[in-house]
């Protein structure tokens, strides 16, 4: 606004905002933005026009979001031993090594699951260890090259950063596995075992992360994922935020599951936002309805009667 000596006051949901800072030009900035910082904000600009105090208020919706993108890594190792203790030591060592490689490319590595099973070909006494990792492009300084103050270009920059981070992580992890063939595991009182990499595969995914869902509220980025609001959830692999089922509640942003009400409590409707929405279950009181029973006594008594209960 082209006014003289304006002052700016930001408020969130009719409350004064404590965590964000405001620049001299009135820009609202967050140093450590969290999902709970999402919400409705208003900015009141106070100024004087012909020495008369005036003020105008503008309303904004601030949402936590990220660009869709991820990578699934499937690795298969061969070993003569696959005891639980050996497997845990190997997985810890593998995740530590690959995690450093992914972090150098601004990505994060998370172990999804692992399973060990006998081979179906010779030698028959060996085992296959299948390991699955999730690679997230939102690691340390993933968007360091993007300028968040340029709203016109920042979304395209985020998309490019996600694609580049995942590609570089894939190449770096593939190169690491090729250069580090057998992984010997020793110590800890367990027998010595060697895990050799036999298969490596990467699959790019376009799903939202758990707790995130697509939203039409972001007109400039309709394919971006936003944190699911309280009362909703999004399971891993889903692209939608759904209301919590009846009997469950969710008071937080970005939950992948809803919490169940305590024993004896229920929610009246889906989408409960707090434990206070769980109420005592109403037990219906049975109605006493008069029942008419007709009893007919056959001869030799030769009479009948009508009994009303």
């Amino acid at each position: 606004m082209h006014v003289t000596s304006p002052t700016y006051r930001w408020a969130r949901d009719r409350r004064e905002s404590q965590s964000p800072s405001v620049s001299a030009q009135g820009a609202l900035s967050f140093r450590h933005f969290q999902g709970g910082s999402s919400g409705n904000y208003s900015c009141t600009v106070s100024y004087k026009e012909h020495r008369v105090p005036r003020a105008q208020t503008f309303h904004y919706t601030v949402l936590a979001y990220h660009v869709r993108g991820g990578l699934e890594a499937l690795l298969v190792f061969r070993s003569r031993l696959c005891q639980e203790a050996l497997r845990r030591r190997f997985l810890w060592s593998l995740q530590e090594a690959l995690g450093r490689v992914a972090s150098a490319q601004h990505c994060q590595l998370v172990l999804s699951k692992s399973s060990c099973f006998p081979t179906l070909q010779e030698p028959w006494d060996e085992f296959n260890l299948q390991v699955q990792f999730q690679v997230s492009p939102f690691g340390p300084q993933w968007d360091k090259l993007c300028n968040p103050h340029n709203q016109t270009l920042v979304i395209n920059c985020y998309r490019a950063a996600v694609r580049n981070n995942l590609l570089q992580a894939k190449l770096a992890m593939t190169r690491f596995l090729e250069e580090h063939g057998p992984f010997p595991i020793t110590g800890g009182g367990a027998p010595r075992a060697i895990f050799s990499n036999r298969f490596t595969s990467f699959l790019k995914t376009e799903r939202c992360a758990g707790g995130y869902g697509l939203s039409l509220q972001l007109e400039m980025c309709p394919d971006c994922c936003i944190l699911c609001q309280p009362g909703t959830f999004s399971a891993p692999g889903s692209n939608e935020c759904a209301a919590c089922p009846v009997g469950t509640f969710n008071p937080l942003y970005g939950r992948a599951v809803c919490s169940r009400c305590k024993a004896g409590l229920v929610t009246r409707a889906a989408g409960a936002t707090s434990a206070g929405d769980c109420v005592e279950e109403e037990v219906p009181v049975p109605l006493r309805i008069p029942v008419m029973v007709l009893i007919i006594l056959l001869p030799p008594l030769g009479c009948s009667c009508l009994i009303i209960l």
Side-chain angles (χ1 to χ4, degrees):
M1 298 179 62
H2 299 285
V3 296
T4 304
S5 302
T7 59
Y8 305 91
R9 180 174 57 85
W10 280 89
R12 175 191 174 193
D13 297 329
R14 300 181 181 179
R15 302 189 306 271
E16 290 293 333
S17 183
Q18 300 295 334
S19 56
S21 59
V22 182
S23 68
Q25 292 74 32
L28 181 68
S29 61
F30 299 82
R31 182 172 298 276
H32 300 290
F33 190 87
Q34 301 294 328
S37 301
S38 296
N40 297 318
Y41 288 77
S42 63
C43 177
T44 300
V45 185
S46 301
Y47 58 97
K48 286 186 178 182
E49 186 176 33
H50 304 298
R51 298 184 179 180
V52 177
R54 298 188 182 278
Q56 291 192 46
T57 301
F58 303 87
H59 301 276
Y60 301 88
T61 298
V62 181
L63 298 172
Y65 73 95
H66 69 65
V67 184
R68 282 189 296 174
L71 199 66
E72 293 182 354
L74 175 63
L75 312 175
V76 178
F77 296 87
R78 183 74 61 85
S79 176
R80 295 183 62 87
L81 298 174
C82 201
Q83 300 174 0
E84 183 65 23
L86 279 174
R87 184 170 65 175
R88 285 199 303 266
R89 290 178 61 83
F90 170 68
L91 291 177
W92 180 86
S93 176
L94 179 66
Q95 187 171 5
E96 186 79 7
L98 287 180
R100 289 193 297 267
V101 175
S103 180
Q105 306 303 326
H106 312 293
C107 291
Q108 288 182 331
L109 190 70
V110 179
L111 176 65
S112 298
K113 58 183 179 180
S114 66
S115 58
C116 195
F117 50 90
T119 60
L120 299 180
Q121 65 273 3
E122 293 185 0
W124 304 105
D125 59 344
E126 290 192 347
F127 294 87
N128 283 330
L129 175 59
Q130 181 173 294
V131 185
Q132 290 181 252
F133 287 106
Q134 296 287 337
V135 185
S136 168
F138 308 107
Q141 298 183 327
W142 72 274
D143 59 346
K144 67 175 184 178
L145 298 180
C146 300
N147 180 9
H149 299 294
N150 190 337
Q151 295 297 324
T152 305
L153 302 176
V154 68
I155 298 299
N156 291 332
C157 182
Y158 285 161
R159 289 195 181 101
V162 166
R163 290 194 298 267
N164 181 71
N165 291 350
L166 293 176
L167 175 60
Q168 296 304 320
K170 175 183 176 181
L171 296 176
M173 293 171 65
T174 301
R175 185 165 55 249
F176 175 85
L177 292 170
E178 291 175 350
E179 296 175 354
H180 299 76
F183 288 83
I185 301 298
T186 58
R192 185 176 187 273
I194 297 177
F195 290 84
S196 302
N197 186 23
R198 294 300 181 92
F199 178 79
T200 301
S201 175
F202 292 94
L203 175 64
K204 187 178 179 181
T205 61
E206 292 291 340
R207 299 188 298 267
C208 293
Y212 285 80
L214 298 180
S215 174
L216 298 179
Q217 293 173 284
L218 293 175
E219 297 180 359
M220 63 180 177
C221 188
D223 60 337
C224 289
C225 304
I226 68 167
L227 279 171
C228 293
Q229 298 180 359
T232 65
F233 76 105
S234 176
S238 173
N239 282 335
E240 297 180 355
C241 294
C244 290
V246 175
T248 64
F249 68 97
N250 172 23
L252 304 173
Y253 279 87
R255 290 286 295 275
V257 294
C258 297
S259 302
R260 291 186 176 275
C261 294
K262 293 183 179 180
L265 301 181
V266 295
T267 53
R268 293 192 179 94
T273 59
S274 68
D277 295 323
C278 297
V279 297
E280 292 187 5
E281 186 173 6
E282 297 180 357
V283 180
V285 179
L287 299 177
R288 296 183 61 84
I289 302 177
V291 179
M292 299 180 65
V293 180
L294 180 63
I295 300 178
I296 300 178
L297 301 178
L298 299 176
L301 297 178
C303 66
S304 64
C305 62
L306 183 65
I307 303 175
I308 300 179
L309 301 179

